[in-house]
Amino acid sequence: MATAVLDRPAAGRSRVRASPYWLLLLPLLVPLVLLYLVPLGRVLWISFTDPTPGLANYERLLAFPALQRVLFTTLRIGAITTGLALLRGYLVAYVMVHAGPRHRLWVTAFVLVPFWVSLLVRAFAWLTLLRTEGVINQALLGWGLVAQPLALVHNELGVVIGMVHYMVPYATLPLYANMQGIDPRLADASRSLGAGPLTTFLRIFLPLSLPGIAAAGVLVFIFSLGFFVTPALLGGGKVVMIAEYVSVQILQTVRWGVGTMMASVLLLTVLLLLVAMSQVVDLRRLFGAR
């Protein structure tokens, strides 16, 4: 009892000492509210008030299959992109962890190179490679592997290829950071007890890397939902995701209510994903908090 009483003033003093740090954050919080939260609130307001106040825009999502198709296409492509990016990113991160310093430097450089190339440039590069007269189809035809050019672009396949290429670094870096924290002596102990490489990986390394997989998966999936340039170029108008649909509704058809409604649905989807993930793992530790 006495200990609890003595602890109370200490807790109060810690809160007093922490208050100046919150004051230092105010200059950053004010622009955040003005430049992010206020426009976000404006978007939500328009989705409920344009053209008439009410839930008419959100009822469209339930009534029109075209809107549902755009939403499901976005979720499906985002899920496929996340799975493929995680698989490739996991392999690259695993090699980086177990490679020597020189090889790790080269692999890291190749992982970081996409960050230095414009998204638009990469999308046009894939368009050049995947089109009917592109390098890949011409090579396949020249080698006699196919009788006619493959449809590699202006469909979901082309969109997924472009998105996976862009998202692999975002999957690799969180996985690499997680794998670096795994004690290599655990694998040595497993092998010393008679376990083979596959058993050691499945029973030791893979379970310990699950937090990194979860963090990379959340990051990649959320980013994938907002892609605009890649689906617009590689989809050729045949694969419409939410970001492109919102752009068309606001800039071309001037249907602000429908456009902001779809943007709000996308935001709500991301928030629900984070809430669901928080029930499984601690999001604060997942993204680096201590």
Side-chain angles (χ1 to χ4, degrees), residues 43 46 69 105 150-151 170 174 182 184 235 251 261 263 283:
V43 168
I46 294 175
R69 185 163 55 252
L105 181 63
L150 301 177
Y170 290 95
I182 299 177
L251 299 179
M261 178 273 294
L283 291 180

Side-chain angles (χ1 to χ4, degrees), residues 159-215:
V159 173
V160 169
I161 291 174
M163 289 177 58
V164 169
H165 175 246
Y166 183 82
M167 295 309 303
V168 164
Y170 290 95
T172 302
L173 296 179
L175 286 167
Y176 175 64
N178 172 257
M179 292 179 183
Q180 273 192 316
I182 299 177
D183 193 341
R185 293 175 297 182
L186 296 175
D188 296 337
S190 174
R191 287 192 291 267
S192 68
L193 294 174
L198 181 60
T199 302
T200 299
F201 174 79
L202 295 177
R203 299 290 297 274
I204 303 297
F205 195 87
L206 181 60
L208 292 176
S209 64
L210 288 179
I213 295 176

